[in-house]
Every structure is written in C-alpha cells, then in structure tokens.
Amino acid sequence: TKYDFGHFPRYYEIIEYMKILVQNRRYSQIIEIGTSSKNKVIYAMKIEKSSKNPVFILDAGFHAREWAAHVAALYIIKKLVHYEEKYADMMTFIIIPCVNPDGYEYSHTTDRFWRKTRSDNKRSSCKGVDLNRNFDTHWKEISNENRECAETYPGPKPFSEPESIALRDTILMYQPYAYITLHSFGSLIMYPWGFTKDLPKNWQVLHQIALKAAQSANNGTNYTVGSSARVLYIAFGGSDDWAMEKAGVPIVYTVELPEFNGKLFVMPQEEIRPMVRETYKILKHMIFNIYDEY
Ligand code: 0X9
Ligand code: ZN
C-alpha cells in the first residue's frame, strides 16, 4: 500500500514511495547521487523540463533524528511531481529526502536520538561524523567538540564522508541558483553565514524572501528569520555556508522545522500531515519568490 504520511517511513518506504510517484510522469525521474558508508544508495528526485532553467536543490536528513525533515521533503516531492508541468516550466528541482540513510535507519532501529553518520572512526569506537560540520568551509576552526564521540564531530578532514561528498558533487554539477537544507527543530528560516555574525552581501534579499515565506505558515508556527550565527549559534563546516562561499550559490537557506509541545525531535505522528502541509506552503512561497529574483 502507498505511503500516506500517517507514520514516519523507513528508508526503503521513502524510496518505494518515490518510485510510485514517478510512474507515468513526463519530467520527474529518480537519480542516484552517491552511496553511504554502509552502502545505501542516496537517491534524489529530479524534475526537469529544460536544462536551461535555473536549478533548485533541496535536501533533508543530514541529521538522522530530525525525522520531521525527511517527511517534509517527501511531501514536497509528492507535490512537485504531481504539479510537475507547472513547476518544471520554471525551474529544475533536485530533492534529496535522506542524505544520511545509515543514520536514519539507526535512529529507527537502535537509537532514536542518533545525529551523525555511521562511519567507523580510526582512533575511537564512537561512530559517525556530523555531516553539517564536515564541509570545507571554515572547517573545524574553533570548537571544543572535536573528539570522535562528540555529537558535532567534524570528521578527520573536510569531506571525509561519502554523504557530504555526494551533496558537494551534486551542487557542483548542477550549479543551483538556490539551495535549501531542511533540519529540525526550532522554527527558523536561516541564511548564511553560520561561521560568523557578519552578513553576506545579499542578506537583504535573503531576509525578505524568508520573511514573506514565514508569514505564509498556517499551522500556528512562528518562524524566526535571520542569519544562522545570529538566530542560532556559530558553527563551522556547514553545507549552507559551503554552498554560498565555495560553490557560489546565491540563495541559500537552512530551515529548522517546528518542535511539537516540548517533544523535541519526537513529533507525534498525528502532527505529520499538518506539519508537512505547512512546510510545503512555505517552500512554495520561497520557490516563487526565488524565481522572481532570478
Ligand atoms: O547545528 C546545525 O547543524 C544546525 N542545527 S541542528 O539543530 N539541526 O543541528 C544549524 C546549522 C546552521 N548553519 C550553520 N551553522 N552553518
Ligand atoms: Zn540538523
């Protein structure tokens, strides 16, 4: 039976559902962008009519336990594929619903609060790297969380993980006009930089697009808008900063989805449908406003 957003899907369910969605579609196809350290294929939905259109890349699931992000990305995939004629006229979409499948499965089977990948570390029995500290931008500049067992271990070197390499190569290959990465939680729409409280040159454009999108939230979420170092904290080696600083992507956001009643990462499954609908609405506003800027 077809996935209906009534529960949090396992990795195979995400992929099975994507396969159902692309049946009889003209512009939508499933592509492989890499392989995890435990040999799971990392898939993306690509929706493209013309290779001349600006590219929009959306990902989710850098952090294993942030299950709201995976389901939100899957719902966005469902909607974009359903309305592929309309969307593909504007832009090419690459949507990766689960960048870290090893960690995601581990958070289902063994440790609900697992954050990192599941790769082996040379000098420690603690496993995994924080993918959002593993990008080659101000990598490991300052941190007291540099040991293997830390939740935010940045890895032995930038791009030590096949998952961050997969994301890097996808961004370098498609040279997107916009890149958005979904996380949870905090109800934040953040733009770079994350490594400094300074703001990027185009911060006012980024701020306006985010504000308009935040106002469209209709499930009671109050989104806060700002640069990630200012509204959250300073952190190095993030995919957002890398995309803007090193890959030259002009429009970049990290979205932290809402938390539910003090439940932190554990969202009640009845909340999935209202949350994913709200998130799609916000993303739709962002897509149209980003397209207007192009
Ligand atoms: O710390 C992170 O990686 C993100 N927050 S989370 O709670 N989902 O782990 C925020 C990343 C913001 N971007 C940068 N600091 N570059
Ligand atoms: Zn996260």
Side-chain angles (χ1 to χ4, degrees):
T1 53
K2 198 166 143 201
Y3 177 64
D4 67 356
F5 295 90
H7 66 275
F8 290 98
R10 297 292 293 267
Y11 189 58
Y12 79 88
E13 289 182 274
I14 294 178
I15 309 312
E16 291 302 306
Y17 184 59
M18 286 167 69
K19 288 181 182 159
I20 294 172
L21 291 177
V22 292
Q23 282 168 15
N24 306 316
R25 295 283 140 180
R26 279 181 71 182
Y27 304 122
S28 303
Q29 74 184 100
I30 296 168
I31 59 169
E32 302 184 1
I33 66 155
T35 308
S36 70
S37 53
K38 300 283 176 245
N39 289 314
K40 287 193 172 63
V41 176
I42 305 167
Y43 294 97
M45 184 66 79
K46 177 179 177 182
I47 306 165
E48 181 175 68
K49 187 170 177 179
S50 159
S51 57
K52 294 196 177 73
N53 283 345
V55 177
F56 177 95
I57 295 182
L58 176 81
D59 70 41
F62 263 62
H63 294 139
R65 65 192 174 195
E66 298 171 8
W67 290 4
H70 308 78
V71 279
L74 196 53
Y75 189 77
I76 292 161
I77 288 174
K78 167 195 155 109
K79 295 302 248 187
L80 296 188
V81 169
H82 187 81
Y83 296 113
E84 61 169 11
E85 304 268 347
K86 175 178 87 171
Y87 280 113
D89 269 337
M90 302 163 60
M91 288 181 153
T92 292
F93 295 86
I94 308 283
I95 306 173
I96 306 138
C98 186
V99 175
N100 174 14
D102 299 342
Y104 186 61
E105 281 299 293
Y106 192 73
S107 73
H108 277 270
T109 59
T110 313
D111 177 357
R112 177 62 189 84
F113 293 105
W114 190 256
R115 170 180 170 95
K116 299 186 280 184
T117 61
R118 290 294 301 161
S119 57
D120 296 317
N121 286 311
K122 272 218 179 83
R123 269 174 288 276
S124 168
S125 60
C126 289
K127 283 182 188 290
V129 165
D130 184 344
L131 285 179
N132 216 24
R133 302 289 180 277
N134 192 235
F135 281 66
D136 194 5
T137 175
H138 306 271
W139 180 78
K140 202 183 169 178
E141 264 181 15
I142 311 164
S143 172
N144 40 25
E145 291 262 54
N146 279 341
R147 283 167 311 105
E148 287 88 342
C149 299
E151 285 279 63
T152 53
Y153 175 54
K157 58 174 193 223
F159 295 120
S160 60
E161 305 303 287
E163 298 87 352
S164 49
I165 289 174
L167 226 290
R168 175 195 70 189
D169 291 349
T170 306
I171 289 179
L172 292 176
M173 176 160 160
Y174 288 97
Q175 293 289 321
Y177 179 63
Y179 166 61
I180 300 183
T181 178
L182 295 180
H183 286 253
S184 162
F185 58 88
S187 308
L188 309 166
I189 303 179
M190 307 184 290
Y191 45 84
W193 304 109
F195 74 94
T196 172
K197 290 194 174 176
D198 294 348
L199 296 171
K201 277 194 283 277
N202 63 340
W203 75 270
Q204 294 183 59
V205 171
L206 296 169
H207 197 87
Q208 285 314 313
I209 291 172
L211 269 188
K212 280 188 238 163
Q215 282 157 9
S216 73
N218 60 355
N219 191 36
T221 310
N222 279 314
Y223 272 94
T224 300
V225 170
S227 86
S228 69
R230 292 186 183 211
V231 302
L232 194 55
Y233 41 62
I234 288 181
F236 303 102
S239 68
D240 48 4
D241 282 3
W242 177 85
M244 179 173 275
E245 188 184 49
K246 297 293 175 70
V249 182
I251 309 278
V252 174
Y253 294 101
T254 296
V255 175
E256 298 277 359
L257 295 168
E259 170 205 329
F260 284 86
N261 310 318
K263 289 232 161 55
L264 306 188
F265 303 101
V266 185
M267 203 181 96
Q269 57 183 27
E270 318 79 77
E271 295 288 348
I272 295 176
R273 286 191 198 100
M275 184 280 293
V276 297
R277 287 192 191 114
E278 178 182 76
T279 307
Y280 170 63
K281 210 167 169 228
I282 292 169
L283 258 291
K284 200 167 73 180
H285 275 82
M286 293 180 90
I287 289 166
F288 282 107
N289 290 324
I290 288 167
Y291 185 66
D292 281 348
E293 279 297 320
Y294 182 71

